[in-house]
Amino acid sequence: MRSIELIVIGGSAGSLQVLLSLFPWIPAGFPVPLLLVLHRNSQFESALEDILASRTSLLVSEVEEKEVPQPGNVYLAPADYHVLIEHDGSFSLDNSEPVHFSRPSIDVSFKTAADFYGDRLVCMLLSGGNADGAEGLAYVKARGGITVVQDPVDAESPFMPRFALQITQPCHILTGARMGEFIRSLWPPRHA
Amino acid sequence: MQDLFLHYGYDFTEYSKTSLQRRVQRLFTLDKFPSFAEFRYRLKNDPHYFRRFVEEITVNVTEMLRDPGFYKTLRAKILPVLATYPFIRIWHAGCSTGEEVYSMAILLREAGLLHKSLLYGTDINPQVIERARSGIFPVSQMQKYSSNYLQSGGHMDFSSYYTANYDLAKFDTALAEKMIFSTHNLASDFSFNEFQLILCRNVLIYFERGLQTKVLNLLDSSLENFGFLALGNKESLRFSLIADRYRQFDGKEKIWRKVNEIH
Ligand SMILES: C[S@@+](CC[C@H](N)C(=O)[O-])C[C@H]1O[C@@H](n2cnc3c(N)ncnc32)[C@H](O)[C@@H]1O
């Protein structure tokens, strides 16, 4: 039996609808922190936090640097910074060069989270129009983490999930509508 | 690797480890070393290569008038206070290639304060300091900077501040007259002056909490009473020991004023 300590969700174009639909599935008091790494326009920054907060009783906030993820919280990667998981499990921010034209980059968060959490990690890749996230997902899987890709047929922008499926076989391929249920099933932990 | 850094007098032990590791990994791949042992050997025995190493592992990403809202607040609320001083000293700690310093000079000039100001730009990376001294930036960035400039409340034609030559933009040398650039390591060097305004933006995020505290103490000891300290958009004084001597000056922007209240 393993317990999951962090869920990282990466998404780009077309992922917001999926996110909004999955939050109502996550019960109050859900103990596993979530980190959302979304490619977005800095202009929508504050709006996004509010929109998400209105869909859940979990606490939604932007990542603060050197903050340690807490149960019951949803963290949002700030526009223009990569979010890394440090050696002590805290988040750090870094505005080095974009990766796959993206900052925040999903690959960066997936990989650094995998180094720290190993098999106590779930990474999910949603709809999007670029190549970010695929490599990271393969890396997570190789370190025993649980990987999930949104079914490209179901994704508004299928490129990102499709690209990921070309380089890695994820543990699950789910439609957007099933993602909430999947997250809910992660707690309490069951026999694998 | 830390032993190697110390061998050259650099201390990166308190840098955010994952972030630093990514930079080292990137350079290792970029320079196509066949093994980590060879990478290490080269670093240890070739001081020139070590110099490249320092240049490449620091994150030097910067831009002019980065976060226009911040510069708007500087114009509207901070410069009028600084204007009351006979002489204005400003320190850009971790200034990278100098775009931030040129941005400040433009603001000061437009406020009619540049003639009585002195701007110090320092960084650990000698290469970026050389570039800062040149005042030459890529022309490809000018459109973005010009838009930042307008958003920061500028009313001039931004292109009047530089001369474009092929792909380079050379900034007006009159802006640079009041600038002093030098290498300075925030982790190990001392305070060298007292300032009314210190900017240390997007530098602390690369440090662990312990080093952040140390650097904030250094900045604090270099700031006059009632002076201003400006940090990056995702940085804060909240967790530091000096916080109770400071008041956040403007709710939204990361600018604090030293008030030295006695409790
Ligand atoms: C991301 S840049 C920030 C540039 C500018 N302040 C801005 O906000 O756009 C960070 C800079 O901090 C410098 N730096 C890193 N460690 C330092 C140290 N110990 N002392 C001084 N500068 C340092 C790096 O070389 C780099 O140029």
Side-chain angles (χ1 to χ4, degrees):
Chain A
M1 197 160 80
R2 66 170 129 177
S3 79
I4 299 301
E5 291 178 20
L6 183 72
I7 299 167
V8 187
I9 304 179
S12 191
S15 63
L16 188 61
Q17 281 315 314
V18 179
L19 280 174
L20 294 180
S21 72
L22 66 78
F23 271 107
W25 282 91
I26 308 176
F30 185 75
V32 188
L34 284 95
L35 168 65
L36 311 183
V37 184
L38 308 175
H39 300 156
R40 57 196 173 125
N41 190 321
S42 5
Q43 287 166 358
F44 301 126
E45 207 168 343
S46 51
L48 186 56
E49 200 178 318
D50 295 343
I51 294 170
L52 293 173
S54 70
R55 300 292 173 111
T56 173
S57 59
L58 303 173
L59 214 60
V60 181
S61 63
E62 263 199 8
V63 170
E64 297 284 340
E65 59 104 23
K66 305 292 143 49
E67 176 176 33
V68 178
Q70 297 298 322
N73 281 51
V74 179
Y75 299 93
L76 203 56
D80 247 358
Y81 292 87
H82 297 305
V83 178
L84 287 71
I85 311 299
E86 281 297 323
H87 290 195
D88 59 357
S90 63
F91 294 126
S92 71
L93 300 175
D94 164 325
N95 62 10
S96 55
E97 301 74 7
V99 176
H100 297 297
F101 308 102
S102 311
R103 195 175 53 207
S105 145
I106 300 167
D107 272 342
V108 170
S109 294
F110 278 2
K111 285 186 189 169
T112 59
D115 282 335
F116 183 74
Y117 290 103
D119 67 354
R120 294 162 293 136
L121 175 71
V122 172
C123 287
M124 308 173 77
L125 191 67
L126 309 184
S127 168
N130 80 5
D132 195 17
E135 240 177 74
L137 212 63
Y139 189 92
V140 170
K141 180 136 191 253
R143 276 151 193 79
I146 298 176
T147 54
V148 181
V149 172
Q150 183 177 2
D151 190 341
V153 177
D154 172 66
E156 205 177 300
S157 283
F159 187 89
M160 201 156 85
R162 196 166 276 152
F163 193 80
L165 293 180
Q166 276 168 21
I167 69 163
T168 176
Q169 176 67 48
C171 306
H172 306 276
I173 300 174
L174 299 175
T175 61
R178 300 263 339 261
M179 298 233 167
E181 203 181 340
F182 172 78
I183 294 178
R184 176 144 116 177
S185 75
L186 294 170
W187 192 268
R190 306 190 187 140
H191 293 279
Chain B
M1 305 251 318
Q2 301 286 358
D3 52 323
L4 255 175
F5 306 153
L6 292 170
H7 165 75
Y8 286 104
Y10 282 96
D11 187 356
F12 295 121
T13 41
E14 288 187 274
Y15 279 53
S16 304
K17 302 232 162 25
T18 307
S19 182
L20 186 65
Q21 246 172 20
R22 258 193 87 228
R23 302 301 291 175
V24 173
Q25 189 63 45
R26 171 181 160 276
L27 185 63
F28 173 71
T29 313
L30 202 69
D31 290 350
K32 305 197 172 68
F33 281 97
S35 72
F36 214 74
E38 278 175 69
F39 184 40
R40 247 192 88 92
Y41 183 85
R42 177 83 185 273
L43 278 169
K44 182 143 190 208
N45 297 295
D46 181 352
H48 292 289
Y49 187 73
F50 186 78
R51 197 182 138 119
R52 166 171 169 75
F53 178 82
V54 171
E55 289 164 6
E56 290 296 325
I57 62 162
T58 51
V59 176
N60 306 121
V61 177
T62 185
E63 64 184 67
M64 285 186 84
L65 300 146
R66 183 183 203 166
D67 312 316
F70 167 76
Y71 285 92
K72 199 170 185 152
T73 305
L74 276 186
R75 278 187 202 273
K77 303 195 173 145
I78 309 293
L79 295 192
V81 179
L82 296 184
T84 63
Y85 291 90
F87 193 69
I88 304 168
R89 279 185 311 274
I90 300 174
W91 180 17
H92 298 262
C95 69
S96 189
T97 37
E99 285 83 338
E100 189 183 271
V101 191
Y102 278 82
S103 309
M104 181 66 80
I106 289 174
L107 258 58
L108 288 166
R109 163 124 112 206
E110 294 185 359
L113 300 173
L114 187 58
H115 68 281
K116 61 167 180 172
S117 305
L118 210 46
L119 295 88
Y120 289 77
T122 63
D123 202 282
I124 190 178
N125 178 343
Q127 192 195 27
V128 294
I129 286 298
E130 269 166 43
R131 297 219 343 239
R133 281 199 189 107
S134 76
I136 297 172
F137 306 114
V139 144
S140 55
Q141 295 282 56
M142 293 305 135
Q143 202 179 347
K144 168 156 209 207
Y145 295 172
S146 170
S147 144
N148 284 355
Y149 171 78
L150 293 174
Q151 287 175 61
S152 79
H155 294 299
M156 307 274 293
D157 178 0
F158 186 71
S159 65
S160 67
Y161 286 112
Y162 62 86
T163 336
N165 197 345
Y166 297 100
D167 51 354
L168 298 176
K170 165 97 182 126
F171 275 71
D172 188 350
T173 49
L175 291 172
E177 263 167 28
K178 300 293 184 176
M179 297 177 190
I180 298 171
F181 289 103
S182 162
T183 54
H184 179 275
N185 185 343
L186 289 165
S188 54
D189 291 339
F190 296 105
S191 169
F192 56 92
N193 212 329
E194 275 219 328
F195 302 91
Q196 287 107 20
L197 169 61
I198 299 177
L199 293 88
C200 186
R201 308 191 72 216
N202 302 300
V203 178
L204 295 176
I205 48 172
Y206 300 101
F207 301 162
E208 290 180 343
R209 280 272 155 82
L211 183 55
Q212 289 182 354
T213 304
K214 189 172 155 193
V215 171
L216 283 169
N217 283 338
L218 170 68
L219 300 179
D220 178 50
S221 67
S222 309
L223 192 65
E224 276 184 23
N225 204 9
F226 302 114
F228 299 95
L229 176 61
L231 303 180
N233 270 2
K234 297 302 293 177
E235 293 161 335
S236 175
L237 272 193
R238 209 181 334 157
F239 302 100
S240 94
L241 294 171
I242 65 169
D244 57 351
R245 260 175 281 146
Y246 285 77
R247 284 263 177 77
Q248 195 162 1
F249 186 67
D250 183 279
K252 206 161 122 304
E253 301 301 335
K254 297 295 176 69
I255 304 175
W256 284 263
R257 189 167 199 189
K258 187 170 180 174
V259 287
N260 251 344
E261 279 167 87
I262 318 270
H263 290 281

